[in-house]
Amino acid sequence: MTLIATSRERGIATLTLDSPANRNALSAALVAELRDALADCGGDDTVRAVVLTHTGSTFCAGADLTAPPDPGAFVGLMREIVALPKPVVARVTGHVRAGGLGLLAACDIAVAGEASSFALTESRLGLAPAVISLTLLPRVDRTAANRYYLTGERFDAAEAARIGLVTVAAEDVEKGLAPVLDGLRRASPQGLAASKELVTATVLRSFDQYAEDLIARSAKLFASDEAREGMAAFLERRDPAWVR
């Protein structure tokens, strides 16, 4: 079963997360397929830019707790999006949770619709947004990161735009995307690659410097008693033991 649907139109490759059974959660299989699809786009001279979107009402629900990817593989996916010499544009019309925000923040431009919502729910599971900090913290307002990392509150597209997580909060996502895609089609491949390299240089250095430590920190948290209780409570649809 294919988890990533692909299409191409006038130089734009669209990669669609298509795993509705688990709300496009980051399973090992989905991460591997998306990495392969991005590599294909990177090697295709006819592709000017990539749009990353989704089926259903959820862009990405975060890690698939029943079949999670290796943390190193997910970090590799985020790094490949950042390092791809072609712009990656997220088109979001649904919910984004936990690790899905790291995937979103790795994209160069993001357009989100009114029906979208966002939450960093890791602290409620006994975890932390460890590896996704590589893409989130360079992008998101520090004061907002303090709040949403700690509380796990849900916020809407307008707030996501205010704090820098998304580029445009649009009433009509297609209208919001139109000038972005037109601009990318008018730009030269060399100009796009060189311009993206300037913007992403600091983020890529952070991957090289901090990724291994954050992967180890994430693994330690996932193996903890609190995280086991948090994930069990989530799957059983109950409050974890620490809720007061």
Side-chain angles (χ1 to χ4, degrees), residues 15 33 46 60 66 72 82 92 98 107 124 159 169 182 216 218 232-233 241:
L15 306 182
E33 281 194 33
T46 69
C60 179
T66 63
V82 175
V92 181
C107 298
R124 299 187 181 192
E159 175 70 352
D182 180 65
S218 178

Side-chain angles (χ1 to χ4, degrees), residues 171-183:
E171 182 177 347
D172 184 316
V173 171
E174 303 312 321
K175 287 183 178 179
L177 273 173
V180 172
L181 299 184
D182 180 65

Side-chain angles (χ1 to χ4, degrees), residues 127-152:
L127 302 168
V131 296
I132 64 174
S133 290
L134 291 164
T135 57
L136 278 170
L137 291 183
R139 185 171 189 132
V140 172
D141 172 82
R142 175 63 182 272
T143 302
N146 286 342
R147 176 176 180 174
Y148 295 121
Y149 266 46
L150 297 174
T151 68

Side-chain angles (χ1 to χ4, degrees), residues 71 108 186 201 207:
D108 303 289
R186 291 176 180 275
F207 271 86

Side-chain angles (χ1 to χ4, degrees), residues 7 57 77 90 93 99 114 119 133 149 154 167 177 204 209 226 235:
S7 64
S57 62
L77 169 61
T93 59
E114 289 184 326
S133 290
Y149 266 46
R154 185 182 304 180
T167 315
L177 273 173
L204 291 173
Q209 185 172 358
E226 277 196 19
L235 293 171

Side-chain angles (χ1 to χ4, degrees), residues 44-77:
D44 187 341
D45 291 340
T46 69
V47 172
R48 184 67 51 82
V50 177
V51 170
L52 181 63
T53 189
H54 60 101
T55 59
S57 62
T58 301
F59 175 79
C60 179
D64 184 342
L65 299 181
T66 63
D70 176 82
F74 180 49
V75 168
L77 169 61

